[in-house]
Amino acid sequence: MQLPPDIERILLDEATIQRRVHELATQISADYADVDELVLVGVLKGAFIFMADLARCLTIPHSVDFIALSSYGSRGAARSDAVRLIMDTRAPVTGKEVLIVEDIVDTGYTLQYLVRNFQARNPASLRTCTLTSKPTRHEVAVQLDYLGFEIPDVWVVGYGLDYADRYRTLPYIAALKPEVYRTAAH
Ligand code: 5GP
């Protein structure tokens, strides 16, 4: 397969991702079989494709909502107090069964911020569903209730994940060539 020039190698191909997304949705559907409605809260922009595929595989009643964050620092959040909510959910989540849907956990500060922020809203329950995680990069303990894949410490793009807002719509998750993100200020 001809890869785009900045891509080094594919880590997770399309079929592997789709299979895992189905498995996660099956597990989530079973775990929430008795609830009236599950509220999926997707974290923009990175989780938009994962969220769309996951939501369409669920067999339980659910609604979707989104938030957007901004973080300061070159690689991810660096510190949780550097994370800011720049777009909130449309509907309040108090008393709701909430599942935060994230694309990637790197240091863990972003997810830590999100869990604290949503816990403070008094949902009926709060869990997290993360497509990928880099365990060797974690700096804080994070609540990973549903996890798609553990990946190595490389910058990945595709399936919603970007580099400088590009490559989000690749159907696979791939490692960017290190020289691309080492030479550019990111
Ligand atoms: P954390 O707070 O866990 O360090 O960082 C989480 C955020 O950093 C993610 O939501 C994502 O925006 C960004 N991030 C961390 N690693 C990667 C990566 O390999 N690829 C992309 N596209 N974003 C990443």
Side-chain angles (χ1 to χ4, degrees), residues 43-47 69 71 74-80 83 102-114 132 134 137-140 142 151-158 160-164 166 168 173-176 181 186:
V43 184
L44 294 174
K45 299 176 190 174
L69 302 173
S71 62
S74 56
R75 278 190 71 172
R79 292 172 49 187
S80 53
V83 184
E102 252 283 41
D103 51 356
I104 189 162
V105 173
D106 186 28
T107 63
Y109 284 113
T110 303
L111 196 60
Q112 182 186 61
Y113 166 86
L114 282 174
T132 58
K134 299 178 188 172
R137 294 264 311 160
H138 290 192
E139 291 178 20
V140 285
V142 275
I151 60 169
D153 177 15
V154 290
W155 192 267
V156 290
V157 295
L161 290 151
D162 75 312
Y163 175 72
R166 294 184 59 203
R168 289 193 197 275
I173 290 179
L176 205 63
Y181 58 90
H186 187 82

Side-chain angles (χ1 to χ4, degrees), residues 119-140:
Q119 207 72 66
R121 303 172 188 216
N122 296 317
S125 71
L126 179 66
R127 286 187 186 157
T128 68
C129 179
T130 305
L131 182 65
T132 58
S133 170
K134 299 178 188 172
T136 59
R137 294 264 311 160
H138 290 192
E139 291 178 20
V140 285

